[in-house]
Amino acid sequence: ILWMRRQRVLRRLLRKYRQQKKIDKHLYHYFYRHAKGNCYKNKRVLVEAIHKMKAEKTKAKALQEQQEARKEKAKLLKAKKAAKRDEALKA
C-alpha cells in the first residue's frame, strides 16, 4: 500500500511538470520508468533528479552550440587562408 501511494504521488508530480512544460515528453517517460523501477524513494528525490537532468541537458546544449561556433570560425578562417594563398600564387 505504501508503494502504491508513493507511485501515485510521483506520477502526479510528473504529470504536473509535463503539463506545465517543465519537462518534455522524453524526460517524462524517462522519469516515469525510473519511478516505476523504484529509483526514487520520495518526491524530493525525484525533483532533485529532474533538476539535475535538466541542468545536464542545458549544459550539453551550450557545449554543442560552442562547438558549432568553433567549427564555423575554423571553416571561415580556412577559407580565408585558402583565398589568401590563391592570391599569392596568382601574383
Side-chain angles (χ1 to χ4, degrees), residues 2-91:
L2 292 174
W3 184 82
M4 284 171 46
R5 285 180 68 179
R6 184 173 66 208
Q7 288 304 303
R8 287 176 185 157
V9 168
L10 297 179
R11 289 174 179 177
R12 197 178 313 126
L13 178 78
L14 286 172
R15 268 196 310 273
K16 189 175 85 172
Y17 271 26
R18 186 182 57 185
Q19 287 171 352
Q20 292 175 351
K21 306 286 189 214
K22 288 187 179 182
I23 58 174
D24 61 350
K25 66 180 182 178
H26 303 293
L27 278 179
Y28 171 82
H29 188 72
Y30 173 83
F31 286 114
Y32 189 95
R33 285 282 150 216
H34 276 75
K36 183 178 182 181
N38 203 22
C39 287
Y40 311 113
K41 70 176 188 176
N42 57 33
K43 193 171 156 180
R44 189 188 75 227
V45 174
L46 175 61
V47 171
E48 287 173 0
I50 290 172
H51 288 308
K52 186 176 177 185
M53 179 75 83
K54 282 178 69 175
E56 286 177 10
K57 272 197 158 203
T58 54
K59 187 175 180 182
K61 190 174 182 181
L63 287 174
Q64 182 73 23
E65 288 173 1
Q66 288 176 358
Q67 188 178 14
E68 291 294 325
R70 265 194 240 107
K71 282 182 180 179
E72 280 296 316
K73 188 176 178 183
K75 194 181 286 186
L76 289 172
L77 194 62
K78 190 173 181 180
K80 191 176 177 182
K81 282 184 178 180
K84 196 172 185 180
R85 190 180 64 227
D86 290 343
E87 284 293 320
L89 289 175
K90 287 181 181 177

